[in-house]
Amino acid sequence: MASSPLIATSLPQNQLTTATATARFRLPPPEKLAVLIDNSRSVDEVLQIHAAITRHNLLLHPRYPVLNLKLHRAYASHGKIRHSLALFHQTIDPDLFLFTAAINTASINGLKDQAFLLYVQLLSSEIVPNEFTFSSILKSCSTKSGKLIHTHVLKFGLGLDPYVATGLVDIYAKGGDVVSAQKVFDRMPERSLVSSTAMITCYSKQGNVEAARALFDRMCERDIVSWNVMIDGYSQHGFPSNALILFQKLLAEGKPKPDEITVVAALSACSQIGALETGRWIHVFVNSSRIRLNVKVCTALIDMYSKCGSLEEAVLVFNDTPRKDIVAWNAMITGYAMHGYSQDALRLFDEMQGITGLQPTDITFIGTLQACAHAGLVNEGIQIFESMGQEYGIKSKIEHYGCLVSLLGRAGQLKRAYEIIKNMNMEADSVLWSSVLGSCKLHGEFMLSKEIAEYLIGQNISNSGIYVLLSNIYASVGDYEGVAKVRNLMKEKGIVKEPGISTIEIENKVHEFRAGDREHLKSKEIYTMLRKISERIKSHGYVPNTNTVFQDLEETEKEQSLQVHSERLAIAYGLISTKSGSPLKIFKNLRVCSDCHTVTKLISKITGRKIVMRDRNRYHHFTDGSCSCGDFW
C-alpha cells in the first residue's frame, strides 16, 4: 500500500524509512503532528493526518489529548462540523479544553441545542467550566437561558471576567434587557471595545440614542462595528440627520474605513429625509472604494433613489444588481408603487415569479396592493389580496388589510371597506381607521365618519391623526362647536397634533419648513417669491379652495393661511435657489392638501419645472400642469 502523500511530502527524508514494498514510515512525534494539523490547508490533509494518527492509536492515548483538540478545531475551521463533533463524541473522557472547543463549535454554527447538551454533559462529568467555556455557551443563549447561565457564572466566581461579562452584556442587549445589561456593564473592571459596542447596541435598540451617543463619545477606541451601530441607531430611530453627520465625521477621521453595513445605514438615513444629492455622493463613494456593490448595497440604493424621488436611477441600479434576491425585487416593486407606476409594479411582480422562480413574501404583497390602491385598481387588488392565502399560503397582516381598505375607500366603496374592518380576524389599528376616516372626508360621508371617529375616541385611541380628522370633518360641515369639543379633548389627554413639515435639499443641505415659517435666513426672498407665485397662478384661473382650511376664520384669512403652507414655502425656496428649468424635489411628512396639490400643478405649468413631491401616501410627479396621480391620492 502506498504511503500517505501528506506525510511523505511534509517531513524531512531522514524521518522516513522504507522497510518493505508497503513503504512503511515512522510517524512524527505528537508535537510535529500538532503543527501539521494547525498548518493544514484543506480538509483532505486533515483526513490524511487523522487516518495516520488513528492507525497508531494515538487518539485514545491519554498522553496526547492535544491531538484530539487540534483535529477538532481543524475540522471545524474547514466547515466539517459533523466530523468535528463526531470526533468529540468518540473521545474517552474529554478534558475541559475539548469540551469548551466542542461547545464553541456548536454555538457558532447555530447548533444551540447541541451546545447546551454538551454543557450539561460537562457539568455532569464534574469538570469545572472556565471563562472560555462560559464565553462559548453564552453564544447560544437567549435572554432567558442567559439568565440561568449567569447564575452559574456567579457561582464559579467569573462574573468580573471581561470575556464572560461581555458575553452577558451582548445577550441582555440583544434581548432588550437594558437594566440587566447596564448592571453587568457597570460592574466590569475593564470595559472592552466589544462590551462597549454591545451596550451601545442595547441603548440603540431601545431608542435611547442619547445614552448610546454619550457612551460612544467616551470610548477610547472605536472600530467600524461601533460606528455602524451608532449610525444605524440614529437612522432607525428617527434621527436621520444625526446619522449622516456621524457618517461624515467617520469619513473625516479617515479610520476605520466604512464598510457595506455603514453605507446601507447612511443610505437609509438619506431615504428618510429625501437627501438625494447625499445619496448620490454615497453611490459614487461606494464605486470608488473597496466596498462591494453586492445585493444588499444595491437594494439600499434602490430604496434610497425611490424614496428620494429619482425612480429612473432606482431602475438603473436594479437592472445592474447582481443575483437579485426577493428583497431587491420587493424594493423595486414598492418603488414603482409609491411613484404611481402601478402597471410596472404589477409587471415586475409577474416577471419575478416567471423569470427567477422566486416566491413572493408578505412584503411583496404590500407593494403590489399599494400599487393597486394608488391607481384605483379595485378588481386587481381584491384578486391579489385573495391569492395571498389561496395560492401562496401567506397569512394576511394588518398592513395588507390597510392597503385593501385604502383601495376601497379611495374608490368610494366605504361601506365595503368598513365591513372588511369589522370582519377582520384581528383588531384594527389607528392607521387603518385613519385610512377609512380620510376616505370618508374625501367623499363627504359625514355621518359614517362621525360614527367611526367618536367610537374610536371612546376607545381611548391616542393617535393624533384620528382627532385631527374628526376635527376637520366637523369643520367641513361648519360645526365649529364640534371642532372645539375635539380640541379640548385633545388638550385634556395631552395629545399634540403632528406639525406639517416640508423639506427640500439644495447643494447637499436639507432645508426644513413649517406652515408660516419665517426662521429661514432667506425668509424675505421666499415670501417675495410666494407673492409672485400667487399673482401668476391667479392669472391662470386659480381660485383658493378655502374648504381645506378647517379653522373658524374669515375668507381672506383662510386664503392667507393657504399661501404659507409648508410645501409652498419649500417650493418658493427651491425656485429662488436653483437654475431655471431644473426639477424640484419636495418631501412632506403629512398628506398634501387638495389646494396645495392644485397650486403645485399650476406652478409646474407656469415655471416649466418638473416638481416631485413625496407626501405621507405617495409620490406626485407634477409636469406641465398635471400630476402623475391623476388627482387620485
Side-chain angles (χ1 to χ4, degrees):
M1 181 176 68
S3 63
S4 164
L6 174 74
I7 301 297
T9 57
S10 300
L11 303 178
Q13 283 297 316
N14 60 10
Q15 290 189 13
L16 300 175
T17 58
T18 307
T20 65
T22 58
R24 291 185 179 180
F25 59 86
R26 185 172 63 251
L27 193 71
E31 296 79 10
K32 179 65 174 178
L33 287 170
V35 173
L36 286 173
I37 295 169
D38 283 341
N39 294 335
S40 61
R41 291 167 296 182
S42 69
V43 70
D44 287 338
E45 291 185 3
V46 180
L47 287 166
Q48 291 178 45
I49 299 171
H50 188 177
I53 292 171
T54 301
R55 283 199 299 270
H56 288 76
N57 295 321
L58 290 182
L59 280 180
L60 301 179
H61 204 294
R63 289 179 57 191
Y64 309 124
V66 69
L67 294 180
N68 297 45
L69 180 63
K70 295 285 186 180
L71 282 171
H72 173 90
R73 288 178 174 171
Y75 280 129
S77 68
H78 290 295
K80 295 296 181 179
I81 310 306
R82 185 172 61 84
H83 288 64
S84 180
L85 295 177
L87 180 64
F88 169 84
H89 290 301
Q90 292 167 7
T91 304
I92 300 171
D93 295 328
D95 60 10
L96 172 62
F97 302 104
L98 189 54
F99 259 116
T100 299
I103 292 169
N104 188 61
T105 296
S107 291
I108 63 177
N109 287 283
L111 304 173
K112 297 180 181 180
D113 290 343
Q114 288 197 44
F116 273 101
L117 286 172
L118 290 167
Y119 177 70
V120 170
Q121 188 180 339
L122 177 146
L123 295 178
S124 301
S125 64
E126 298 184 356
I127 295 175
V128 178
N130 64 10
E131 63 272 28
F132 302 109
T133 314
F134 284 118
S135 296
S136 298
I137 190 60
L138 285 169
K139 296 171 186 174
S140 287
C141 288
S142 62
T143 306
K144 185 178 180 180
S145 57
K147 287 181 182 291
L148 295 174
I149 297 297
H150 195 170
T151 63
H152 290 204
V153 168
L154 297 175
K155 176 184 176 181
F156 290 103
L158 293 170
L160 298 180
D161 180 85
Y163 293 103
V164 178
T166 298
L168 287 167
V169 171
D170 186 54
I171 286 169
Y172 290 131
K174 288 177 179 175
D177 188 346
V178 182
V179 175
S180 297
Q182 187 74 62
K183 284 180 180 178
V184 176
F185 186 73
D186 289 344
R187 290 171 184 164
M188 293 179 70
E190 293 182 12
R191 294 165 186 174
S192 66
L193 171 63
V194 177
S195 62
S196 295
T197 302
M199 199 65 229
I200 292 171
T201 304
C202 189
Y203 287 136
S204 296
K205 278 193 169 185
Q206 299 301 307
N208 189 354
V209 291
E210 291 182 3
R213 183 58 187 270
L215 177 55
F216 178 84
D217 288 339
R218 291 197 303 270
M219 292 172 68
C220 299
E221 178 191 6
R222 305 185 194 103
D223 62 4
I224 193 57
V225 177
S226 54
W227 281 92
N228 288 347
V229 169
M230 194 65 248
I231 292 170
D232 190 58
Y234 276 136
S235 181
Q236 295 296 321
H237 292 283
F239 298 91
S241 296
N242 300 68
L244 292 176
I245 290 169
L246 192 60
F247 175 66
Q248 291 166 356
K249 183 180 179 182
L250 169 64
L251 295 176
E253 292 191 6
K255 289 184 179 181
K257 296 295 183 183
D259 61 12
E260 297 157 21
I261 297 172
T262 321
V263 297
V264 168
L267 288 168
S268 174
C270 293
S271 301
Q272 294 174 51
I273 55 175
L276 178 61
E277 294 305 319
T278 304
R280 282 175 174 156
W281 185 91
I282 293 173
H283 192 176
V284 172
F285 171 77
V286 170
N287 286 330
S288 62
S289 68
R290 294 182 178 180
I291 297 172
R292 290 189 307 129
L293 201 63
N294 61 17
V295 67
K296 288 187 178 179
V297 175
C298 287
T299 300
L301 285 166
I302 294 166
D303 184 66
M304 181 276 296
Y305 281 127
S306 294
K307 290 179 178 175
C308 289
S310 184
L311 186 64
E312 299 85 357
E313 288 173 282
V315 173
L316 289 174
V317 174
F318 176 77
N319 290 337
D320 291 337
T321 300
R323 294 182 291 279
K324 301 179 186 71
D325 60 11
I326 189 63
V327 182
W329 285 90
N330 288 347
M332 195 66 253
I333 289 170
T334 303
Y336 275 131
M338 72 171 67
H339 282 269
Y341 291 85
S342 301
Q343 293 298 337
D344 289 295
L346 297 178
R347 171 185 56 78
L348 211 61
F349 175 71
D350 291 334
E351 281 183 14
M352 179 192 75
Q353 298 172 80
I355 295 174
T356 68
L358 288 170
Q359 287 296 299
T361 65
D362 59 327
I363 304 298
T364 317
F365 281 103
I366 291 173
T368 53
L369 287 169
Q370 282 178 343
C372 294
H374 289 160
L377 304 173
V378 176
N379 293 332
E380 292 88 339
I382 292 172
Q383 183 181 353
I384 289 171
F385 183 85
E386 291 175 347
S387 73
M388 284 177 56
Q390 295 172 3
E391 294 181 32
Y392 301 96
I394 296 174
K395 189 177 180 180
S396 301
K397 296 182 178 179
I398 193 73
E399 294 86 356
H400 302 109
Y401 279 108
C403 293
L404 183 62
V405 166
S406 175
L407 168 62
L408 295 172
R410 291 179 191 180
Q413 299 184 28
L414 294 166
K415 291 184 178 179
R416 190 175 182 183
Y418 191 28
E419 286 300 316
I420 286 174
I421 292 177
K422 289 194 296 184
N423 295 322
M424 284 185 346
N425 56 3
M426 64 190 77
E427 187 175 348
D429 62 7
S430 57
V431 177
L432 202 57
W433 285 117
S434 294
S435 176
V436 179
L437 284 172
S439 296
C440 287
K441 176 173 163 288
L442 179 66
H443 295 284
E445 287 282 352
F446 174 71
M447 294 308 297
L448 179 59
S449 61
K450 183 180 176 183
E451 176 188 338
I452 294 171
E454 290 183 346
Y455 161 75
L456 293 173
I457 290 173
Q459 299 298 309
N460 289 319
I461 294 289
S462 59
N463 184 296
S464 64
I466 298 288
Y467 291 86
V468 172
L469 276 169
L470 181 57
S471 175
N472 292 346
I473 289 164
Y474 279 126
S476 66
V477 293
D479 185 355
Y480 291 105
E481 287 185 10
V483 173
K485 177 184 173 183
V486 173
R487 290 186 177 176
N488 287 333
L489 196 58
M490 290 177 69
K491 191 174 182 180
E492 289 173 13
K493 295 187 175 184
I495 297 169
V496 180
K497 177 185 175 183
E498 182 181 2
I501 299 172
S502 295
T503 60
I504 183 171
E505 184 185 21
I506 303 291
E507 295 180 354
N508 293 328
K509 184 177 180 181
V510 177
H511 299 261
E512 186 177 283
F513 297 92
R514 301 183 183 220
D517 198 341
R518 290 184 178 271
E519 298 297 318
H520 198 277
L521 292 175
K522 292 193 174 182
S523 181
K524 185 177 179 180
E525 294 93 328
I526 290 169
Y527 276 84
T528 299
M529 175 56 72
L530 279 177
R531 285 191 291 272
K532 290 180 180 179
I533 290 172
S534 181
E535 290 171 4
R536 293 191 66 184
I537 60 177
K538 284 182 178 178
S539 68
H540 281 72
Y542 164 68
V543 177
N545 181 10
T546 55
N547 291 330
T548 61
V549 180
F550 299 113
Q551 290 94 357
D552 188 11
L553 302 172
E554 295 295 328
E555 198 67 17
T556 304
E557 292 175 307
K558 287 184 177 182
E559 289 184 23
Q560 292 172 347
S561 172
L562 288 170
Q563 290 174 10
V564 293
H565 276 193
S566 63
E567 52 266 63
R568 298 197 201 184
L569 294 172
I571 291 171
Y573 180 64
L575 291 173
I576 65 173
S577 305
T578 57
K579 293 180 180 178
S580 177
S582 59
L584 301 179
K585 290 184 172 65
I586 312 295
F587 298 84
K588 185 171 183 179
N589 63 329
L590 303 177
R591 182 182 184 273
V592 62
C593 76
S594 58
D595 189 73
C596 287
H597 191 269
T598 299
V599 166
T600 308
K601 287 195 293 183
L602 288 170
I603 293 174
S604 73
K605 184 176 182 179
I606 63 178
T607 62
R609 302 235 196 175
K610 179 179 181 180
I611 302 174
V612 180
M613 183 182 295
R614 187 181 87 183
D615 69 3
R616 174 166 284 181
N617 291 336
R618 62 172 295 159
Y619 267 94
H620 302 263
H621 294 251
F622 299 94
T623 308
D624 195 27
S626 63
C627 180
S628 60
C629 74
D631 298 336
F632 185 87
W633 84 102

